[in-house]
């Protein structure tokens, strides 16, 4: 039994109701099916299910009812036909690439990427004959010029981490499609509450559900959303190769989704207030946040995102020494590289997430020694400001 009439519901309602099922017991909260396998009524039923002639559950590497509910809910929230859940965000990217590409194919990707994504493209996929060209995502000509006859897929992360560079999803989707390639967008930073890449022309959206979809830093997870045709192919890879989402994690993520809209609005209003305040401080050289009017792509950001999101970064005067002083002085904000949590976090990209990038590349691309990234949580913003001031004065 499912909740009826989900077609015309608003996004906040879908986040709570979509995909919901109720068992014979009439439970009000979503049930957790913590089981690795399922039993069959007869040998004939088992045979029909294994052949795919009969729909049903056989083994949780293939599908599990709790995971199905998560997939259906997220698909509706992104406005896609179908979703496939994975164990982590990286597993989602890996599954997309293993499914849609083969040796000899070429990827064009934005260069400001989550570190493991860069590593996967540059050092793992390359072993299997898939080459990647990295471009400045803001430069549409750079995307066009990087295309080769064997380019099958464009990969984009927007806004980028940690400098919040914003790229034009609709324009890059047009470039991909004119070339007969697919556009995949990493929507982990915005979540469907703030940005819906499929509505802007992307073919697939992927998530690190570990971030805002859970929102509380509890579980790992990932997902890919898109057309029934593409997701069916990725599903066949996932059920065989095995990077499947655990039922308990799906259950935790479902409770995260219920408050996603509320959280993203508050993350964004807290981040905007903090960014505006940081801009007024004499010891702060520069603030990066898409919601600020001073952001070079503020207009584009506000066109394709509902709000600025929860992540900002800023440069303090005095280089690494001054930046580390801020990190070491905080007492409320957590010192951790994770993001997308109700708890604010702070990190020094040049010595953590980007430490393996050559120093001159870091300087050239804006990851300077004075740069700090804050994932703004849901605490009272006055307490976050006060905490940052401990090391800023
Ligand atoms: C964290 C993250 C990933 C990887 O997700 P995991 O769940 O850690 O595997 C991918 N993209 C972005 C933008 C991320 O922040």
């Amino acid at each position: 039994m499912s909740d009826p009439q989900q077609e015309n519901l608003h996004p906040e309602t879908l986040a709570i109701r979509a995909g919901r099922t109720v068992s014979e017991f009439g439970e009000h909260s979503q049930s957790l099916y913590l089981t690795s396998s399922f039993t069959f009524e007869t040998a004939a039923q088992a045979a029909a299910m294994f052949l795919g002639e009969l729909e049903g559950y056989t083994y949780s590497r293939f599908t599990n009812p709790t995971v199905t509910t998560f997939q259906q809910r997220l698909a509706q929230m992104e406005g896609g036909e179908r979703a496939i859940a994975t164990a982590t965000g990286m597993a989602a990217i890996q599954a997309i690439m293993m499914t849609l590409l083969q040796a000899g194919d070429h990827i064009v990707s934005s260069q400001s990427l989550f570190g493991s994504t860069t590593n996967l493209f540059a050092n793992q996929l390359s072993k299997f004959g898939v080459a990647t060209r990295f471009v400045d995502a803001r430069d549409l000509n750079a995307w066009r010029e990087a295309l080769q006859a064997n380019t099958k897929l464009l990969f984009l992360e927007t806004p980028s981490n940690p400098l919040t560079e914003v790229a034009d999803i609709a324009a890059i989707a047009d470039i991909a499609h004119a070339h007969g390639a697919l556009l995949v967008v990493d929507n982990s930073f915005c979540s469907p509450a703030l940005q819906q890449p499929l509505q802007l022309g992307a073919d697939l959206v992927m998530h690190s559900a570990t971030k805002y979809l859970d929102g509380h830093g509890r579980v790992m997870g990932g997902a890919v959303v898109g057309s029934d045709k593409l997701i069916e192919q990725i599903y066949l890879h996932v059920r065989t190769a095995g990077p499947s989402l655990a039922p308990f994690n799906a259950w935790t993520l479902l409770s995260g989704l219920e408050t996603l809209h509320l959280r993203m609005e508050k993350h964004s209003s807290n981040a905007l207030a903090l960014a505006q305040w940081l801009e007024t401080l004499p010891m702060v050289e520069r603030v990066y946040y898409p919601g600020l009017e001073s952001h070079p792509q503020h207009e584009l950001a506000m066109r394709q995102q509902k709000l600025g999101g929860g992540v900002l970064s800023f440069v303090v005067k005095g280089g690494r020494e001054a930046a580390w002083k801020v990190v070491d002085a905080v007492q409320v904000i957590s010192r951790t590289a994770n993001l997308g949590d109700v708890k604010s976090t702070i990190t020094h990209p040049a010595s953590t997430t980007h430490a393996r990038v050559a120093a001159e590349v870091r300087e050239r691309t804006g990851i300077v020694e004075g740069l700090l990234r804050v994932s703004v949580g849901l605490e009272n913003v006055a307490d976050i400001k006060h905490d940052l001031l401990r090391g800023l004065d």
Side-chain angles (χ1 to χ4, degrees):
M1 209 198 326
S2 302
D3 274 9
Q5 293 172 355
Q6 286 166 355
E7 299 84 52
N8 299 316
L9 298 177
H10 292 87
E12 298 84 349
T13 313
L14 290 175
I16 294 169
R17 298 274 169 182
R20 195 168 161 268
T21 58
V22 182
S23 81
E24 64 197 284
F25 301 116
E27 70 279 2
H28 193 207
S29 131
Q30 186 61 45
S31 45
L32 165 57
Y33 292 93
L34 209 49
T35 179
S36 55
S37 66
F38 300 83
T39 55
F40 308 105
E41 280 167 24
T42 60
Q45 190 200 37
M49 278 193 193
F50 272 85
L51 279 176
E53 289 166 356
L54 190 65
E55 267 198 40
Y57 293 101
T58 55
Y59 190 47
S60 287
R61 168 150 51 77
F62 299 0
T63 37
N64 171 285
T66 314
V67 176
T68 302
T69 298
F70 170 68
Q71 291 173 164
Q72 289 183 350
R73 186 169 299 176
L74 186 65
Q76 291 200 41
M77 291 171 71
E78 285 284 6
E81 286 175 4
R82 188 172 160 193
I84 172 76
T86 53
T88 65
M90 290 317 301
I93 302 177
Q94 158 95 346
I96 293 169
M97 301 307 166
M98 295 296 278
T99 303
L100 301 178
L101 302 178
Q102 60 184 33
D105 286 347
H106 183 247
I107 302 171
V108 179
S109 171
S110 50
Q111 67 191 6
S112 298
L113 288 176
F114 184 68
S116 297
T117 310
T118 307
N119 198 354
L120 179 76
F121 291 172
N123 303 320
Q124 302 293 322
L125 294 181
S126 55
K127 290 194 297 188
F128 300 92
V130 173
T132 305
R133 170 83 180 275
F134 297 98
V135 297
D136 181 337
R138 296 163 298 180
D139 182 351
L140 296 178
N141 272 329
W143 287 95
R144 284 189 203 99
E145 282 161 15
L147 295 171
Q148 299 177 181
N150 57 346
T151 305
K152 296 283 166 58
L153 189 148
L154 276 58
F155 188 91
L156 169 67
E157 196 180 307
T158 179
S160 75
N161 175 20
L163 298 178
T164 71
E165 295 163 1
V166 177
D168 190 333
I169 298 173
I172 297 167
D174 286 345
I175 292 171
H177 298 154
H179 193 70
L182 299 174
L183 175 64
V184 180
V185 175
D186 183 336
N187 202 26
S188 305
F189 261 53
C190 279
S191 89
L194 302 187
Q195 175 171 280
Q196 292 180 300
L198 297 176
Q199 314 311 309
L200 297 169
D203 300 282
L204 289 171
V205 167
M206 60 73 44
H207 279 280
S208 168
T210 317
K211 311 293 166 52
Y212 287 107
L213 300 190
D214 172 29
H216 300 74
R218 299 171 293 195
V219 296
M220 307 290 301
V224 190
V225 190
S227 67
D228 198 26
K229 185 163 165 266
L230 286 174
I231 299 299
E232 173 66 13
Q233 293 175 49
I234 300 170
Y235 162 68
L236 293 175
H237 169 82
V238 169
R239 67 174 261 167
T240 302
S244 318
L245 183 67
F248 177 78
N249 290 15
W251 180 80
T252 309
L253 292 169
L254 281 165
S255 84
L257 290 182
E258 291 175 354
T259 57
L260 181 69
H261 289 83
L262 268 179
R263 285 187 287 106
M264 293 315 293
E265 279 170 24
K266 185 67 177 171
H267 279 299
S268 300
S269 63
N270 268 0
L272 180 60
L274 192 66
Q276 287 170 337
W277 171 78
L278 284 165
E279 271 195 320
T280 67
L281 299 183
M283 47 288 203
V284 172
E285 226 170 79
R286 180 154 185 198
V287 183
Y288 297 93
Y289 182 66
L292 283 177
E293 280 173 25
S294 62
H295 189 284
Q297 298 139 296
H298 176 68
E299 190 263 333
L300 168 63
M302 293 302 101
R303 199 159 14 102
Q304 75 182 13
Q305 300 176 205
K306 203 169 139 201
L307 295 164
V311 179
L312 62 82
S313 57
F314 61 100
V315 180
V316 294
K317 291 180 184 157
R320 177 175 295 214
E321 198 187 330
W324 277 21
K325 194 174 151 221
V326 177
V327 174
D328 288 341
V330 295
Q331 293 174 15
V332 176
I333 303 172
S334 313
R335 276 178 291 275
T336 170
N338 198 24
L339 61 91
D341 195 302
V342 295
K343 301 176 279 302
S344 294
T345 67
I346 189 164
T347 191
H348 178 246
S351 60
T352 59
T353 52
H354 291 67
R356 286 155 194 268
V357 179
E360 73 270 15
V361 177
R362 279 204 308 263
E363 286 293 321
R364 180 157 42 79
T365 54
I367 316 291
V368 296
E369 289 291 339
L371 185 75
L372 290 168
R373 186 198 73 195
V374 177
S375 169
V376 185
L378 305 184
E379 302 95 340
N380 189 302
V381 73
D383 294 331
I384 304 172
K385 289 179 188 172
H386 183 248
D387 205 33
L388 287 174
L389 266 187
R390 289 181 218 277
L392 268 178
D393 49 17

